[in-house]
Amino acid sequence: MSKIKPSKGAPYARVMGVGGYRPVRVVPNEVIIETIDSSDEWIRSRSGIATRHWASPEESVAAMSVEAAGKAIADAGITPEQIGAVVIATVSHFKQTPAIATEIADRIGAGRPAAFDISAACAGFVYGLTLAKGMVVEGSAEHVLVVGVERLSDLTDREDRATAFLFGDGAGAVVVGPAKEPRMGPTVWGSEGDKSETIKQTVPWDAYHSGPQEKFPAITQEGQAVFRWAVYEMAKVAQQALDAAGITPEELDVFIPHQANMRIIDSMVKTLKLPESVAVARDVENTGNTSAASIPLAMERMLATGQAKSGDTALVIGFGAGLVYAATVVTLP
């Protein structure tokens, strides 16, 4: 017979608060087309993006995360000292070690929480949500801060016509804590590593051991292949998440997909046959693709503008480089 005592976690977990930070500088398509052969009309028709935010040197990954985290903690009605773990989802923190989560935990005054980074590209935030839920229910942390943050302007080839217009910067954060009833559904997640070449960094960091490269590493992708995968395969994953939570499309209030491309979002809505009553996040128009930050930023904006309200049932799904994906259903704070 085991001598290990059972964990004393909460019966369930919930999203308690949300916060976001967008850099001050707004970059319209007119700036993008200065370095590529394109037009505002073409960019809008292909992606739905009109503007995006690019960070200044002062708006670092850590600085943006601290701003978003502070808002989420305040929204949750707790103090920083009550945070037991900090999970940062990002692909644009350039130090291999230490994890940026440790600096962020210190700067928000969280004391001595567990702190670590995860790299799951555009699915990173939902991966973080899932880990946070497990920690709260297992009992290793009562409150977990999850931040999705990116400075993708640092990894953008501004002469690449296929990607130069896509990416933006920002940070979104949530606090996950205990609940007395189910507020977060099961996560449907996975990866398709045989397609890992479709979205990738152009040059690995170890290439710099042999001398300077002509260009700094950037993100590149096979646009059509990614589009087809996202539209057809991710709609299936989204439906599986609804099924796992016992939710029908008619019972859903809000749909918050990764903000990769407006055409992908619209196609997923059509494939899922979501009723018109479902509010759909389309933050990509003014924020661009912010990878791990896109879902919490879109969630924060929908709540702030009244497109969504506290208590709404929301389907969230992230997907991207790897290729990785994760979807779940949550009750909005």
Side-chain angles (χ1 to χ4, degrees):
M1 183 175 178
S2 175
K3 297 180 180 179
I4 300 174
K5 294 181 180 180
S7 61
K8 297 181 179 180
Y12 305 103
R14 65 187 175 111
V15 178
M16 298 177 60
V18 61
Y21 180 82
R22 292 171 172 82
V24 174
R25 184 187 178 193
V26 177
V27 180
N29 290 337
E30 285 76 13
V31 171
I32 303 298
I33 61 177
E34 291 175 359
T35 52
I36 60 172
D37 180 19
S38 188
S39 67
D40 174 64
E41 181 182 6
W42 186 89
I43 293 173
R44 288 174 185 259
S45 66
R46 298 290 293 181
S47 68
I49 299 172
T51 61
R52 72 285 293 148
H53 295 256
W54 282 355
S56 68
E58 292 75 26
E59 293 168 314
S60 65
V61 167
M64 292 190 292
S65 297
V66 168
E67 291 291 332
K71 294 175 183 177
I73 292 168
D75 192 45
I78 64 170
T79 65
E81 292 81 4
Q82 290 176 270
I83 297 294
V86 175
V87 182
I88 307 298
T90 186
V91 298
S92 47
H93 170 53
F94 291 160
K95 287 184 179 179
Q96 195 71 38
T97 193
I100 194 65
T102 57
E103 178 183 341
I104 293 165
D106 179 63
R107 289 177 61 171
I108 65 173
R112 300 175 64 183
F116 58 95
D117 301 348
I118 58 174
S119 177
C122 307
F125 175 74
V126 185
Y127 272 50
L129 271 185
T130 304
L131 295 174
K133 174 187 173 184
M135 284 186 270
V136 171
V137 172
E138 187 269 340
S140 58
E142 185 176 10
H143 300 96
V144 181
L145 174 69
V146 181
V147 181
V149 58
E150 303 290 6
R151 272 183 55 119
L152 294 181
S153 58
D154 292 335
L155 287 167
T156 298
D157 181 349
R158 299 181 188 181
E159 297 179 349
D160 179 9
R161 189 172 186 269
T163 61
F165 59 90
L166 288 175
F167 302 119
D169 303 335
V174 299
V175 172
V176 176
K180 295 181 180 179
E181 58 183 12
R183 296 294 184 91
M184 299 177 71
T187 298
V188 177
W189 56 357
S191 63
E192 298 184 36
D194 60 314
K195 300 179 180 67
S196 61
E197 290 295 301
T198 56
I199 308 174
K200 63 182 181 180
Q201 183 173 307
T202 52
V203 181
W205 299 117
D206 60 7
Y208 281 79
H209 279 304
S210 57
Q213 303 297 306
E214 290 185 7
K215 279 191 173 183
F216 193 75
I219 298 172
T220 184
Q221 69 175 25
E222 298 174 17
Q224 288 302 313
V226 173
F227 180 87
R228 289 192 297 269
W229 175 77
V231 168
Y232 297 111
E233 297 302 321
M234 291 305 98
K236 297 176 186 177
V237 172
Q239 183 61 57
Q240 290 170 10
L242 287 174
D243 295 341
I247 300 293
T248 66
E250 291 72 27
E251 293 175 302
L252 195 65
D253 299 309
V254 183
F255 180 41
I256 311 177
H258 165 48
Q259 302 293 293
N261 180 302
M262 193 75 77
R263 292 167 62 212
I264 291 175
I265 295 170
D266 291 341
S267 295
M268 291 182 71
V269 169
K270 183 177 180 180
T271 302
L272 288 166
K273 298 180 180 179
L274 297 182
E276 291 186 5
S277 59
V278 176
V280 179
R282 292 187 169 87
D283 193 43
V284 66
E285 179 179 2
N286 300 119
T287 307
N289 179 344
T290 55
S291 188
S294 78
I295 291 174
L297 279 173
M299 182 185 295
E300 184 263 351
R301 176 163 279 172
M302 293 187 83
L303 287 166
T305 60
Q307 290 176 279
K309 63 183 184 299
S310 175
D312 277 353
T313 301
L315 168 64
V316 298
I317 179 169
F319 47 87
L323 293 170
V324 296
Y325 56 86
T328 190
V329 176
V330 302
T331 301
L332 295 181

